[in-house]
Amino acid sequence: MKRNLIKFYVQLSIVGILATLGLVALCGEPTEDANFLAVFSGQIAVVIFTWALAYLLSKRWQIIRKIEATGLFQ
């Protein structure tokens, strides 16, 4: 039981960190001398990659089902 709970917390942390990294990448601003379109397209690519990976991992690990079963966020 304890081992599974620790594994769940690690999985939840990984998904949360990926989603947060995508949000931070989206909120960043390029410097004045940077090519705006290149930086913006890079930001969008990072956001799409991290959020897609977080979504796929949460589906694979069934994070929502485990959150509802444990009553973690009530």
Side-chain angles (χ1 to χ4, degrees), residues 11-58:
Q11 290 172 346
L12 190 63
S13 298
I14 290 171
V15 170
I17 288 170
L18 283 171
T20 303
L21 285 175
L23 186 63
V24 168
L26 185 62
C27 294
E29 290 185 14
T31 59
E32 291 181 14
D33 58 341
N35 185 358
F36 180 77
L37 291 177
V39 172
F40 183 70
S41 62
Q43 286 175 323
I44 296 299
V46 169
V47 169
I48 289 171
F49 176 74
T50 55
W51 284 359
L53 188 59
Y55 174 77
L56 292 174
L57 285 175
S58 67

